[in-house]
């Protein structure tokens, strides 16, 4: 089966600019996650969707970050305006969802550098 | 908040077994313990998960303490391709993981 697709793989922007990342999960996976991974740290959950509804966005900096999953499939994560500390890899993952043992499948990530 | 604790790094020689420990003292009685690993420039990859009983799959074994406050990921024969950062997670929360180095 095809994996989780993310684009772009790399993005360089200046601070105060905006950027958007796209994720296409595994077909049939109801749950989608966005993680932020700063260099040297473990991934940090930003937002979790179940179909097109938000389950948890408690760690999402809502003053600058937004995410949507309009049709319950693809998702977009946007940062506007970007800050230097947003430099990180943004990982998208998906899972079947609905069960406690659900296993996450991650994409390769989108690496953001903010100058 | 859920929290896991792992050693920052471990080393092994090729073909030797590796035991990677994790403390997850805040895990609830119905939450599974998951292990993932991350190779350089890749997203995390699922390794194994369990609830109470020890688990085996083609990649590794998972030994879970009776009180569920800790677990150990066992790689039976380490290879160079096993060099990665290994994470145990609770409630979707990753810690800083253990960086495993494997020497030929």
């Amino acid at each position: 089966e095809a994996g989780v697709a993310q684009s772009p793989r790399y993005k360089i922007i200046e601070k105060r600019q905006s950027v958007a990342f796209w994720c296409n999960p595994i077909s049939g996976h109801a749950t989608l996650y966005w993680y932020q991974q700063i260099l040297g740290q473990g991934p940090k959950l930003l937002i979790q969707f179940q179909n097109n509804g938000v389950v948890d966005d408690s760690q999402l900096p809502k003053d600058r970050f937004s995410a949507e999953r309009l049709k319950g499939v693809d998702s977009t994560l946007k940062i506007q305006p970007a800050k230097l500390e947003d430099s990180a890899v943004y990982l998208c993952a998906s899972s079947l969802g609905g069960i406690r043992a659900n296993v996450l499948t991650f994409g390769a990530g989108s690496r953001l550098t903010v100058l | 908040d859920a929290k896991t604790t792992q050693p920052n790094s471990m080393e092994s020689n090729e073909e030797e077994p590796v035991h990677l420990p994790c403390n997850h003292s805040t895990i609830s009685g119905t939450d599974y313990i998951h292990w993932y690993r991350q190779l350089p420039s890749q997203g995390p990859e699922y390794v194994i998960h369990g609830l109470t009983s020890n688990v085996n799959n083609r990649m590794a074994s998972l030994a879970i303490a009776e009180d569920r406050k800790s677990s150990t990921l066992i790689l039976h024969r380490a290879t160079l391709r096993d060099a990665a950062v290994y994470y145990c997670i609770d409630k979707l929360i990753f810690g800083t993981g253990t960086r495993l180095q494997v020497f030929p």
Side-chain angles (χ1 to χ4, degrees):
Chain A
E1 68 181 358
V4 175
Q6 291 190 246
S7 68
R9 283 299 312 276
Y10 304 94
K11 188 74 175 179
I12 300 173
I13 62 173
E14 296 190 349
K15 60 183 178 183
R16 292 187 289 274
Q17 288 187 322
S18 63
V19 63
F21 302 111
W22 173 83
C23 173
N24 179 241
I26 290 175
S27 177
H29 278 194
T31 309
L32 185 147
Y33 315 79
W34 283 101
Y35 280 83
Q36 178 194 58
Q37 186 171 27
I38 293 171
L39 187 64
Q41 299 181 17
K44 172 188 168 185
L45 181 65
L46 293 177
I47 189 167
Q48 177 185 352
F49 292 94
Q50 178 76 16
N51 296 309
N52 60 350
V54 175
V55 174
D56 179 7
D57 64 356
S58 58
Q59 298 298 306
L60 188 73
K62 298 180 186 63
D63 57 334
R64 298 182 301 105
F65 286 64
S66 63
E68 60 184 13
R69 194 184 183 200
L70 291 176
K71 297 182 179 178
V73 181
D74 293 5
S75 178
T76 302
L77 176 70
K78 296 180 182 178
I79 307 174
Q80 182 179 11
K83 292 186 175 181
L84 296 176
E85 59 260 36
D86 298 332
S87 294
V89 176
Y90 291 86
L91 295 160
C92 178
S94 68
S95 70
L96 286 170
I99 52 176
R100 289 189 178 276
N102 77 112
V103 172
L104 276 61
T105 302
F106 283 84
S110 296
R111 181 179 297 277
L112 173 66
T113 302
V114 182
L115 303 176
Chain B
D1 280 353
K3 180 177 174 61
T4 60
T5 306
Q6 300 175 253
N8 287 334
S9 63
M10 292 186 67
E11 297 177 353
S12 174
N13 294 317
E14 224 178 348
E15 302 295 313
E16 290 184 352
V18 181
H19 290 228
L20 299 164
C22 177
N23 289 320
H24 31 76
S25 57
T26 60
I27 195 167
S28 73
T30 55
D31 283 334
Y32 281 76
I33 300 151
H34 288 77
W35 283 79
Y36 288 77
R37 71 180 185 182
Q38 189 172 25
L39 280 68
S41 300
Q42 295 186 25
E45 169 191 33
Y46 167 77
V47 177
I48 200 166
H49 72 279
L51 186 61
T52 55
S53 303
N54 294 343
V55 184
N56 300 294
N57 66 19
R58 64 176 180 82
M59 290 180 70
S61 296
L62 179 61
I64 301 172
E66 199 169 325
D67 64 4
R68 290 186 16 96
K69 294 187 184 303
S70 65
S71 62
T72 301
L73 179 71
I74 303 165
L75 306 179
H76 294 285
R77 294 177 64 190
T79 70
L80 297 178
R81 289 174 296 181
D82 292 324
V85 179
Y86 287 79
Y87 297 97
C88 69
I89 72 168
D90 173 21
K91 292 188 179 65
L92 303 174
I93 298 174
F94 285 71
T96 52
T98 297
R99 182 174 298 279
L100 175 66
Q101 289 183 282
V102 181
F103 298 104

